């Protein structure tokens, strides 16, 4: 993995909260941009989520016992939705949020069928972008050909594509090449986590499909999350802010802008380019009417 890390194009600038300042300096997000979060159980009463526009769909998942630390789902939602006055505001707190819990209380190793159902539910709920900071149950590198859940999941991604919903997914933290079938779908934006120098973390999963249509993003700032679970919401937040600034942009145009490397950087075979919020803004500004 160390040999691959040296091939990351560009450098990470504006680490920390300033990383998204090209966007957060212009908007906190608009309520009509609805962000989907598919994850484990979420505590709607968490203090940083007070008064935020959060709606739940799907079957309820048991909440954590009172007094216990917030679970994975709550941390992911907070990284996006924490109110502007919170000690650590979310990336796009002005947006609206739809939460679809999946079975599992913390980091849910979701079955393909459960994840397919959850993705279909948030698409039906009208989200514009969905964050998947979770893992699939362990499958072979190619995925069992006879597993109907894989087909259901890929069909759900196609459903999202047809409805103009951008799908952002954690690439995984297995420290290997490949990735599950989900992140190999061309409509999904798989996200690799990097350090302050823009180098992929040793645990990040890399691969040809990830390098071809994914992004690298930092963990900003420590929120109790780590790895690609923390990096994916950075990309999701950027997408939500860009759509707030350019409400007429199509899903294809927005996805192209956010994943396009700033020249002269080019995509490599397995390591995706760094998310460049300022450049994505410039691209959309130049193509928007």
């Amino acid at each position: 993995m160390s040999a691959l890390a040296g091939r990351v194009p560009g450098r990470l600038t504006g680490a920390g909260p300033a990383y998204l300042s090209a966007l957060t300096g212009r908007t906190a997000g608009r309520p009509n941009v609805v962000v989907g979060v598919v994850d484990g159980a979420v505590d709607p009463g968490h203090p940083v989520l007070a008064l935020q526009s959060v709606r739940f769909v799907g079957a309820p998942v048991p909440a954590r016992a009172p007094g216990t630390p917030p679970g994975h789902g709550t941390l992911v939602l907070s990284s996006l939705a924490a109110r502007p006055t919170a000690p650590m505001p979310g990336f796009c707190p002005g947006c609206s949020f739809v939460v679809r819990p999946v079975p599992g209380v913390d980091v849910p190793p979701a079955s393909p069928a459960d994840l397919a159902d959850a993705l279909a539910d948030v698409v039906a709920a009208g989200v514009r972008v969905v964050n998947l900071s979770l893992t699939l149950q362990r499958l072979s590198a190619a995925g069992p050909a006879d597993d109907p859940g894989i087909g259901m999941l890929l069909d759900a991604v196609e459903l999202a594509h047809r409805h103009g919903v951008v799908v952002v997914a954690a690439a995984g933290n297995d420290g290997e090449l490949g990735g599950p079938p989900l992140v190999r779908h061309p409509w999904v934006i798989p996200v690799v986590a990097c350090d302050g120098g823009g180098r992929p973390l040793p645990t990040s999963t890399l691969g040809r499909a990830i390098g071809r249509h994914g992004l690298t993003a930092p963990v900003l700032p420590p929120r109790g999350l780590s790895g690609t679970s923390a990096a994916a919401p950075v990309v999701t937040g950027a997408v939500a802010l860009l759509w707030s600034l350019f409400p007429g942009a199509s899903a294809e145009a927005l996805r192209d802008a956010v994943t396009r490397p700033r020249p002269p950087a080019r995509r490599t075979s397995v390591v995706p380019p760094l998310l460049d919020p300022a450049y994505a803004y410039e691209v959309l500004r130049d193509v928007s009417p």
Side-chain angles (χ1 to χ4, degrees), residues 55-135:
R55 178 163 55 100
F56 287 78
V57 296
V61 172
R64 298 171 68 86
T68 58
H72 190 270
T74 302
L75 292 171
V76 169
L77 177 62
S78 297
S79 70
L80 293 162
R83 66 180 188 275
T85 56
M88 199 174 297
F91 300 130
C92 51
C95 294
S96 301
F97 300 88
V98 168
V99 176
R100 173 42 161 95
V102 294
V105 174
D106 285 314
V107 186
S111 73
D114 284 342
L115 185 52
D117 288 344
L119 184 53
D121 283 348
V122 295
V123 170
V127 304
R128 303 291 300 276
V129 55
V130 58
N131 188 89
L132 306 176
S133 284
L134 39 65
T135 58

Side-chain angles (χ1 to χ4, degrees), residues 225-256:
L225 295 168
S226 61
T228 57
S229 285
V234 179
V235 175
T236 300
V239 171
L241 294 172
L242 286 165
W243 239 327
S244 298
L245 291 165
F246 300 97
S250 68
E252 287 78 8
L254 194 142
R255 186 184 176 284
D256 172 70

Side-chain angles (χ1 to χ4, degrees), residues 256-275:
D256 172 70
V258 80
T259 58
R260 186 189 301 185
R262 181 190 290 269
R266 295 183 299 173
R267 288 187 174 273
T268 65
S269 58
V270 297
V271 181
L274 289 164
L275 168 67

Side-chain angles (χ1 to χ4, degrees), residues 5-13 197-199 262 264-266 273-274:
R7 299 174 62 185
V8 178
R11 289 285 297 174
L12 177 62
T13 58
R199 295 174 293 270
R262 181 190 290 269
R266 295 183 299 173
L274 289 164

